[in-house]
Amino acid sequence: MQILDWSVISGNLKLFLIISLVGLWLSAVVFRIAIRLFNALLVRGRHAQELVLEPTVINGIGIVLVCIVTNFMIIVVAYQFTSNSLATIESAEPYFPYIWTAFGVLGSIVLSALLSLLLPARFKHAFGVLFCSYLPSVLAGIASFLVCYFVVSNVLT
């Protein structure tokens, strides 16, 4: 018995499924690396009982998927709040970046609470793991900016 009949699924959907699975797997690997990084930073002068347990890759994929869905729901609520509730107040528009920043902080708190339940870990340790998981994204963003900058500057000159 086949679970998935590939002949029925279109090419674009196949590509989407494959890319999504590879992306989830890579995100789980980055998440596990973030836990290792946090544990390496935490272990200095601490006891081994305070370390965050590293999940398996399959559990990491599940945790990443739950965090993606939660983050998406927070973004939808923030968008609905800024587009519907405050759109009628014209004087509120300059404050939208601050409102989005507040939702970002709220999202970090919600994701940390969620991670503290899923890992299991203390809230402050889950917040540290979340912060360490942002570091590869920031480094990848800086690297892609530098590559694009040098490519564009060489093309234009």
Side-chain angles (χ1 to χ4, degrees):
M1 182 177 124
Q2 279 188 327
I3 295 175
L4 194 59
D5 187 12
W6 286 101
S7 63
V8 178
I9 300 174
S10 71
N12 288 336
L13 190 57
K14 289 179 195 175
L15 186 64
F16 175 76
L17 286 173
I18 291 170
I19 290 174
S20 296
L21 289 175
V22 169
L24 279 173
W25 179 78
L26 287 173
S27 297
V29 169
V30 168
F31 182 68
R32 289 173 50 127
I33 291 171
I35 292 174
R36 285 184 189 170
L37 176 65
F38 178 75
N39 285 338
L41 294 173
L42 186 70
V43 80
R44 296 182 185 191
R46 305 279 175 131
H47 300 288
Q49 293 89 4
E50 295 184 12
L51 297 178
V52 177
L53 296 177
E54 188 175 324
T56 63
V57 175
I58 299 297
N59 289 343
I61 288 173
I63 291 171
V64 166
L65 193 59
V66 167
C67 288
I68 287 172
V69 170
T70 304
N71 204 12
F72 178 75
M73 292 186 329
I74 291 169
I75 289 171
V76 166
V77 168
Y79 177 76
Q80 290 296 322
F81 182 74
T82 56
S83 66
N84 293 338
S85 302
L86 296 177
T88 58
I89 306 171
E90 292 179 14
S91 62
E93 190 171 338
Y95 299 106
F96 280 4
Y98 302 113
I99 294 169
W100 278 95
T101 302
F103 272 105
V105 171
L106 176 68
S108 295
I109 292 170
V110 169
L111 286 176
S112 297
L114 189 64
L115 284 177
S116 69
L117 293 174
L118 294 174
L119 280 175
R122 293 182 179 167
F123 178 80
K124 64 181 181 177
H125 292 166
F127 190 79
V129 168
L130 184 67
F131 178 75
C132 287
S133 69
Y134 289 154
L135 288 177
S137 300
V138 170
L139 293 176
I142 291 171
S144 63
F145 171 77
L146 292 174
V147 167
C148 290
Y149 176 77
F150 287 118
V151 167
V152 169
S153 65
N154 287 334
V155 168
L156 293 178
T157 56

